[in-house]
Amino acid sequence: MFDLTPDSSELNQNLNTVLESYLSKFYREKCYIGLRFSQGKRTMIQINVPAHDLPILLQTKHSENNDPDSGKNRPEVQGHATEVKQYILKRVKQNKPWILGTLTANIDPDRIQLMDLARGLCLVVIPRGVKLDITDGQHRKRAIHELVESPDGELIGDNDFPITLVLEKDFNQCQMDFRDMAQSRALDKSLLLSFGEFEGRIGIMKTVQEQVQIFRDKTEKIKNSPSTKHKLIYTSNYIAKMVSCAFANDLNAELEDWDVEKSSAALINCLNQFFSECKQTQHIFETEASDLTIEQVDNFKEDCLLGRYVGLEVLGRLLYSIYDRDNNNFDSIKVSQLSQLDWSRSGHLWSSNIVTIDPNSKNPAKPYRISVSMSTVKIAVDKVKLHLGWIQPPPTQYQLYS
């Protein structure tokens, strides 16, 4: 057989010669290798830009003063750029991979030069002083800009960022492009957690979710709410928040420095003990999801607080008060005490805090409201602790003045 493939070194040399002739000619301009493609009746070019070029190459024209027509995209969302910047810094300092989505910008094609090379490959020449208008990605651009100009600039200085450049000069079309790209639906919290890195509370949540029998195959891992007809009772987000409460008494604690394996083992033992001993959860705990009926799942979610998000939060906060971090265990005697409480919706401990009666309810069969506010949850938790003798009642007025 004959090798018809040209010598790669010769090809590289020829390509370098062609590129060098252009780069020498436009050495005072911004030059990028691009890939031309067509989409939606427009010509677009994909380029990759070094981090330090972004601040001077891109500009944002966001709307101001309650006038949508004053810019090509929405006003900046306060704090979002900071979140992006913190995400990058955290990952870089931990020496972990990170990623930002492609930015989109537009430019009047008459203001740049395109040198076609072959099969869509081209050289993009952007004269000095010409800026690309951001259509999508203003917060990412600002985060990168601030990082580049900060003392941490060297941490991202060797990175490149992709830009999809739309050759478009019509202002109204640019506004419509922003609207069209903003149509994507936000990911549900459970799905974001399911795709999260296996560390901290996400790692613990994923382990607990699979090894605590009442959660296994009964947890919605993608959507925001569990479907009764699919025999789902919980969501990954419910469990993650309970995990944060159990170890830090904080719904949003990431538990970054916690040992996933050891912490998970302690919580799994605790929860399996609790749910197996609790009268209201025993049957759901012991029965596989496939063997449960939709009616049983519906009744459990309706009648037992532990079939709802608020019940898991209350349980998590109570477990926090009996967790010994030094020995990494939950007090098993107090776990049993918690399991013996009446966790039904009609239980007296929840009355007038997380469960209230609505005399004007439109549904007479369900004349109650379930509250998940921070204040009502705290009242319920304190009421349980007082009931079990874990805390002393506050002094009466007579005791205060005696």
Side-chain angles (χ1 to χ4, degrees):
M1 294 180 66
F2 296 98
D3 185 3
L4 300 179
T5 305
D7 182 63
S8 60
S9 61
E10 183 181 344
L11 281 176
N12 289 340
Q13 185 175 358
N14 291 338
L15 182 60
N16 286 336
T17 301
V18 172
L19 289 176
E20 185 57 38
S21 65
Y22 282 125
L23 295 173
S24 297
K25 180 178 180 181
F26 299 106
Y27 76 97
R28 291 180 62 83
E29 319 296 349
K30 293 290 185 185
C31 298
Y32 305 98
I33 300 295
L35 187 64
R36 182 198 293 256
F37 64 99
S38 297
Q39 186 185 105
K41 298 184 178 181
R42 257 90 55 79
T43 297
M44 303 185 188
I45 301 168
Q46 188 80 27
I47 61 175
N48 295 310
V49 177
H52 284 81
D53 281 4
L54 280 182
I56 57 175
L57 184 64
L58 289 170
Q59 68 180 357
T60 305
K61 289 186 176 180
H62 53 76
S63 301
E64 295 179 337
N65 301 322
N66 199 33
D67 179 10
D69 291 329
S70 64
K72 294 184 178 180
N73 43 41
R74 65 180 173 180
E76 286 192 3
V77 177
Q78 197 70 26
H80 186 36
T82 300
E83 291 174 350
V84 175
K85 185 168 62 174
Q86 289 173 345
Y87 157 73
I88 296 173
L89 280 176
K90 175 183 174 183
R91 303 295 292 182
V92 170
K93 290 179 177 179
Q94 292 178 343
N95 197 28
K96 293 182 178 179
W98 54 277
I99 187 170
L100 291 186
T102 302
L103 291 88
T104 306
N106 73 278
I107 186 70
D108 181 339
D110 294 335
R111 303 193 66 197
I112 63 173
Q113 294 187 58
L114 296 178
M115 310 294 177
D116 287 308
L117 301 176
R119 293 182 177 271
L121 193 67
C122 60
L123 186 69
V124 183
V125 180
I126 304 175
R128 286 190 173 192
V130 171
K131 291 185 179 291
L132 311 178
D133 292 336
I134 294 178
T135 309
D136 182 57
Q138 59 180 324
H139 298 95
R140 279 164 278 164
K141 181 264 183 185
R142 179 171 177 178
I144 297 165
H145 189 159
E146 290 181 0
L147 275 175
V148 165
E149 295 188 344
S150 76
D152 295 311
E154 62 181 17
L155 295 178
I156 67 161
D158 197 35
N159 287 272
D160 299 282
F161 296 89
I163 298 176
T164 298
L165 189 55
V166 184
L167 303 187
E168 178 62 66
K169 58 183 174 182
D170 186 295
F171 178 85
N172 291 329
Q173 183 60 56
C174 293
Q175 285 191 320
M176 286 189 283
D177 287 347
F178 169 74
R179 180 205 62 191
D180 292 345
M181 285 187 286
Q183 297 295 321
S184 59
R185 181 175 178 270
L187 293 177
D188 292 328
K189 290 181 180 178
S190 286
L191 181 58
L192 287 172
L193 288 168
S194 296
F195 283 170
E197 187 171 5
F198 197 85
E199 65 176 20
R201 78 160 177 170
I202 293 179
I204 299 171
M205 176 274 291
K206 287 185 174 181
T207 309
V208 166
Q209 192 170 253
E210 295 304 319
Q211 296 189 32
V212 174
Q213 289 174 236
I214 201 168
F215 299 142
R216 189 187 306 132
D217 298 326
K218 300 163 190 168
T219 298
E220 172 60 72
K221 301 177 184 177
I222 296 178
K223 299 177 182 177
N224 273 337
S225 57
S227 169
T228 300
K229 72 177 182 179
H230 292 117
K231 302 178 185 179
L232 299 174
I233 302 170
Y234 307 100
T235 71
S236 296
N237 192 40
Y238 293 2
I239 300 171
K241 288 182 178 295
M242 182 201 65
V243 167
S244 294
C245 287
F247 289 114
N249 201 30
D250 178 354
L251 286 173
N252 300 308
E254 295 293 339
L255 308 177
E256 294 174 351
D257 300 324
W258 292 65
D259 186 299
V260 170
E261 184 178 353
K262 291 180 180 179
S263 301
S264 298
L267 189 54
I268 288 165
N269 289 336
C270 165
L271 292 174
N272 279 331
Q273 176 192 346
F274 172 84
F275 288 120
S276 65
E277 293 181 2
C278 177
K279 288 181 182 179
Q280 285 87 27
T281 60
Q282 244 172 15
H283 178 69
I284 300 294
F285 174 83
E286 295 170 353
T287 309
E288 297 292 332
S290 57
D291 296 328
L292 289 169
T293 66
I294 292 176
E295 184 180 17
Q296 287 173 326
V297 171
D298 186 48
N299 289 339
F300 177 66
K301 292 166 74 171
E302 188 65 35
D303 299 333
C304 182
L305 289 180
L306 293 167
R308 298 170 178 262
Y309 161 73
V310 70
L312 290 190
E313 181 182 342
V314 170
L315 177 61
R317 293 188 184 277
L318 287 167
L319 292 179
Y320 171 76
S321 64
I322 60 171
Y323 177 64
D324 180 354
R325 184 168 184 179
D326 291 334
N327 295 305
N328 187 40
N329 63 49
F330 294 87
D331 187 323
S332 61
I333 294 176
K334 291 186 176 180
V335 170
S336 287
Q337 290 178 349
L338 289 175
S339 71
Q340 301 310 307
L341 298 176
D342 181 359
W343 287 88
S344 67
R345 191 188 66 248
S346 58
H348 73 279
L349 291 170
W350 326 117
S351 177
S352 300
N353 45 72
I354 57 178
V355 180
T356 56
I357 301 299
D358 180 8
N360 300 315
S361 174
K362 294 180 180 179
N363 185 354
K366 299 179 181 179
Y368 55 84
R369 289 179 180 172
I370 304 295
S371 171
V372 295
S373 71
M374 186 181 300
S375 60
T376 55
V377 168
K378 184 180 186 306
I379 292 170
V381 170
D382 288 344
K383 195 171 181 179
V384 170
K385 291 180 181 179
L386 188 62
H387 173 75
L388 294 175
W390 295 0
I391 60 174
Q392 296 300 313
T396 64
Q397 187 176 16
Y398 173 77
Q399 291 172 318
L400 285 172
Y401 292 101
S402 62

